[in-house]
């Protein structure tokens, strides 16, 4: 169940909570997964986003999020020109994603040092969002809880090591989801926590044998 | 305290403990989020200030949306408040709602309540209550009651126009605003439930068909209409009028209707007013 300030809130720049504020948050999530500023952003839009993105300023909002702006930032209306100043090239494309929520966007981001990330998510009303895909993995992250995402080799003991680091850090796991491509290949673990982890925790997880990448996504809103 | 999943549970908790509805919502939120009540009240007071500022900003001359479709109607309506058929309270409340909505359409700062498309309704009825002498403390607390109603609608139906049409946005806001006013007006938990039910019931099936897909036509003026609608629902409930259909069943009906509504009137700008001759012409004019 959503909280009080998901309903009376967020404080945001108009005109549409799902097409502007939710879109900024989707962009912020994509930036988090990339781990920093993007030099290129290809954004696919589905459903209502594809139909109405220009009128609601959804394009400005998605890019504002990728630039790291918050939903109440009054620079959102100028984000497309700010993107150009900051060296971010972007393109939007309408698409059809079968079964996707009506307000869905898929980000294909490249960083200045050529890292890349694919993030798909939907704006589900009132500025709230859900992330449904990170790179090759189907996920379900709402941003309501701080999360740690780890990509690892599918082998025994990795998750035990992650959870013991969290346990020693006094962090309680609210939700946990593990998925893999094939047995013994790459796998992804998503941990939604009750408190924000300190940066040292994520670094400790990165150093676990078998982990190739780990990053945290702070709770938003 | 256990969380509530329908409005009957919320109202029963209030009645049994002889506490105001807002106190139940506040307590549940405080326990769920592990945040102090004082901190939550402060954040809500800040949201009220943003709401009130959005109304005041919108009453000034010169507001205009990016598309040019809306702006400037709020001060016109506000000047008309003493000469209108409806009387000062209703006309000024409508002007307040149009004001906040025009600020939203011009990419200004507002509070989504529950959404940006419906961001004028709660600020308008509460600004009207404030002008009539209601304290800022009471207004702040009534927003927790409004939130409780919205949380249940969000869980059992929807607050997104893309999922449930405008009934999900302005309909939900009307229910929330009516409940807040009923509480401010001294209503019992039961009356608060009836106020929400009466307000939502009369907006069931409302299409979300904005011209050119913008949160402007008919949204901005609709906020004005719905603010008055919410005030009438609150007055009916405070007068002792009851909704024959209980509020939770009204919300179930809202969910079923939202699912049955065709896609072209759920925020896609493909049907309804968006598909009229004038609507299409404006769309072409805006997008070239």
């Amino acid at each position: 169940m959503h909280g009080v300030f998901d309903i009376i809130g967020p404080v945001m720049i108009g005109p549409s909570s799902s097409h502007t504020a939710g879109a900024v948050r989707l962009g912020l999530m994509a930036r988090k997964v990339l781990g920093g500023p993007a030099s290129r952003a290809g954004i696919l839009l589905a459903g209502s986003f594809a139909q109405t993105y220009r009128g609601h300023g959804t394009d400005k909002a998605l890019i504002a999020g990728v630039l790291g702006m918050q939903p109440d930032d009054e620079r959102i209306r100028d984000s497309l020109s700010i993107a150009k100043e900051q060296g971010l090239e972007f393109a939007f494309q309408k698409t059809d994603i079968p079964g996707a929520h009506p307000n869905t966007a898929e980000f294909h981001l490249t960083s200045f040092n050529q890292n890349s990330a694919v993030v798909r998510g939907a704006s589900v009303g009132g500025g709230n969002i859900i992330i449904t895909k990170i790179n090759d993995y189907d996920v379900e992250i709402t941003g309501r809880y701080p999360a740690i995402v780890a990509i690892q080799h599918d082998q025994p003991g990795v998750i035990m090591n992650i959870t013991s680091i969290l346990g020693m850090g006094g962090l309680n796991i609210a939700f946990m989801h593990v998925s893999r491509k094939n047995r013994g290949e790459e796998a992804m673990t998503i941990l939604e926590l009750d408190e924000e982890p300190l940066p040292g925790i994520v670094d400790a997880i990165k150093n676990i044998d078998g982990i190739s990448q780990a990053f945290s996504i702070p709770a938003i809103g | 305290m256990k969380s509530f999943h329908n409005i009957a549970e919320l109202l029963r908790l209030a009645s049994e403990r002889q506490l105001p509805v807002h106190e139940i919502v506040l307590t549940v939120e405080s326990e769920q989020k592990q945040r102090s009540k004082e901190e939550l009240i402060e954040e809500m007071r800040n949201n009220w200030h943003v709401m009130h500022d959005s109304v005041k900003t919108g009453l000034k001359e010169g507001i205009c949306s990016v598309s040019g479709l809306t702006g400037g109607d709020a001060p016109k309506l506000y000047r008309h408040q003493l000469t209108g058929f409806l009387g000062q309270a209703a006309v000024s409340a409508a002007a307040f709602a149009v004001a906040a909505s025009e600020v939203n359409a011009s990419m200004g700062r507002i509070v989504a309540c529950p959404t940006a498309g419906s961001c004028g309704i709660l600020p308008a009825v509460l600004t009207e209550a404030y002008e009539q002498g209601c304290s800022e403390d009471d207004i702040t607390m009534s927003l927790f009651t409004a939130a409780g109603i919205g949380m249940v609608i969000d869980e059992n139906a929807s607050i997104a126009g893309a999922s449930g049409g405008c009934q999900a946005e302005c309909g939900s806001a009307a229910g929330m605003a009516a409940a807040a006013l009923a509480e401010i007006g001294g209503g019992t938990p039961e009356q608060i439930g009836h106020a929400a039910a009466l307000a939502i019931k009369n907006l069931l099936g409302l299409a979300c068909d904005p011209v050119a897909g913008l949160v402007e036509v008919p949204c901005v003026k609709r906020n004005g209409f719905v603010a008055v609608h919410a005030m009438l629902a609150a007055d009916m409930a405070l007068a002792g009028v009851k909704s024959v259909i209980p509020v939770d069943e009204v919300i179930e009906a809202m969910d079923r209707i939202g699912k049955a509504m065709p896609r072209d009137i759920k925020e896609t700008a493909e049907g309804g007013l968006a598909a009229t001759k004038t609507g299409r012409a404006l769309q072409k004019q805006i997008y070239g």
Side-chain angles (χ1 to χ4, degrees):
Chain A
M1 189 179 199
H2 283 148
V4 161
F5 296 108
D6 298 312
I7 302 296
I8 308 293
V11 173
M12 57 166 275
I13 300 301
S16 160
S17 48
S18 41
H19 288 65
T20 316
V24 175
R25 286 175 163 179
L26 287 172
L28 278 168
M29 284 289 237
R31 179 189 173 91
K32 269 287 152 200
V33 174
L34 184 67
S39 63
R40 281 205 308 278
I43 304 178
L44 302 177
L45 301 169
S48 170
F49 267 11
Q51 302 295 330
T52 66
Y53 74 97
R54 268 185 306 175
H56 284 105
T58 304
D59 47 353
K60 294 175 182 172
L62 293 165
I63 292 295
V66 173
L67 291 171
M69 293 180 198
Q70 297 294 323
D72 65 345
D73 193 320
E74 289 185 303
R75 296 173 303 161
I76 290 169
R77 63 194 318 164
D78 304 317
S79 73
L80 300 186
S81 54
I82 294 171
K84 285 183 187 132
E85 286 164 21
Q86 297 189 5
L88 168 61
E89 289 173 33
F90 56 85
F92 293 92
Q93 196 184 327
K94 295 184 187 182
T95 188
D96 189 37
I97 302 172
H101 184 279
N103 296 333
T104 293
E106 187 173 292
F107 299 78
H108 295 254
L109 301 184
T110 308
S111 71
F112 287 95
N113 48 12
Q114 302 306 311
N115 289 331
S116 62
V118 176
V119 177
R120 182 193 289 173
S123 179
V124 295
N128 301 303
I129 60 166
I130 181 164
I131 298 295
T132 54
K133 190 177 162 191
I134 294 180
N135 299 336
D136 294 330
Y137 297 94
D138 291 331
V139 301
E140 198 177 314
I141 303 175
T142 59
R144 223 172 296 148
Y145 295 86
I148 291 178
V149 180
I151 295 171
Q152 78 246 29
H153 188 251
D154 180 38
Q155 66 190 51
V158 175
I159 292 167
M160 184 191 73
N161 285 328
I162 297 175
T163 54
S164 62
I165 287 171
L166 294 176
M168 282 186 290
L171 289 163
N172 190 45
I173 300 170
F175 302 97
M176 176 164 161
H177 186 76
V178 184
S179 51
R180 66 179 184 192
K181 290 174 181 169
N182 282 302
R183 186 169 181 175
E185 293 180 10
E186 194 185 76
M188 176 180 268
T189 303
I190 296 168
L191 302 127
E192 290 181 283
L193 309 172
D194 284 329
E195 296 94 29
E196 295 284 350
L198 296 170
I201 298 274
V202 180
D203 290 339
I205 289 173
K206 274 187 200 161
N207 289 332
I208 294 172
D209 184 39
I211 298 263
S212 56
Q213 192 189 345
F215 53 89
S216 67
I217 301 176
I220 48 173
Chain B
M1 191 183 295
K2 207 170 130 282
S3 187
F4 50 88
H5 297 282
N6 56 57
I7 291 172
E9 278 175 19
L10 169 63
L11 302 180
R12 192 164 52 242
L13 283 167
S15 301
E16 280 170 8
R17 288 160 201 246
Q18 300 203 314
L19 288 170
V21 174
H22 67 241
E23 189 60 35
I24 304 295
V25 178
L26 179 62
T27 305
V28 168
E29 181 76 5
S30 170
E31 288 174 12
Q32 299 270 320
K33 295 280 154 54
Q34 298 279 300
R35 294 178 64 190
S36 73
K37 289 184 180 179
E38 293 70 28
E39 190 188 340
L40 296 171
I41 291 169
E42 235 8 78
E43 184 170 344
M44 192 63 93
R45 190 186 305 276
N46 178 57
N47 283 3
W48 155 244
H49 289 154
V50 177
M51 287 181 182
H52 199 200
D53 286 346
S54 68
V55 168
K56 286 188 285 192
T57 303
L59 288 177
K60 291 180 194 148
E61 302 288 346
I63 299 280
C64 186
S65 70
V66 181
S67 71
L69 280 179
T70 54
D73 283 338
K76 272 183 214 161
L77 196 50
Y78 192 65
R79 283 196 297 274
H80 185 67
Q81 62 178 298
L82 293 174
T83 41
F85 283 114
L86 271 176
Q88 188 182 2
V91 177
S92 63
F96 297 151
V98 171
S101 296
E102 287 182 341
V103 166
N104 178 58
S106 69
M107 289 189 97
R109 186 179 273 134
I110 52 95
V111 180
C113 53
T115 61
S118 54
C119 75
I121 296 158
L122 266 164
V125 305
L126 296 178
T127 298
E128 183 54 36
Y130 185 68
E131 302 262 305
Q132 291 185 20
C134 176
S135 75
E136 193 171 275
D137 286 344
D138 285 351
I139 285 172
T140 302
M141 297 319 290
S142 78
L143 282 167
F144 284 96
T145 297
I149 304 292
M151 285 155 76
V152 170
I153 298 173
D154 183 39
E155 184 168 325
N156 298 338
S158 170
I159 57 166
S163 303
C166 191
Q167 58 164 8
E169 301 206 16
C170 285
S172 301
M176 291 158 61
L181 280 187
E183 181 167 80
I184 288 171
T188 61
E190 199 195 346
Q191 284 173 315
I192 290 170
H194 285 300
L198 290 164
I200 298 166
K201 233 167 37 171
N202 288 289
L203 294 170
L204 289 178
L206 200 60
C208 179
D209 53 356
V211 168
L214 303 173
V215 190
E216 298 196 53
V217 178
C219 324
V220 168
K221 294 182 201 88
R222 179 169 294 163
N223 271 258
F225 283 105
V226 174
V228 178
H229 177 98
M231 286 164 71
L232 180 56
D235 275 336
M236 277 197 187
L238 290 169
V241 175
K242 293 180 177 175
S243 171
V244 172
I245 309 295
V247 61
D248 288 305
E249 292 180 42
V250 173
I251 294 168
E252 277 171 36
M254 182 203 252
D255 186 44
R256 280 197 304 276
I257 293 167
K259 285 177 176 143
M261 281 165 84
R263 188 181 165 280
D264 70 343
I265 51 168
K266 288 195 279 196
E267 211 176 333
T268 53
E270 288 173 356
L273 293 171
T276 56
K277 193 175 150 203
T278 303
R280 288 286 182 225
L282 288 168
Q283 183 168 11
K284 196 150 178 259
Q285 190 185 309
I286 292 161
Y287 295 137

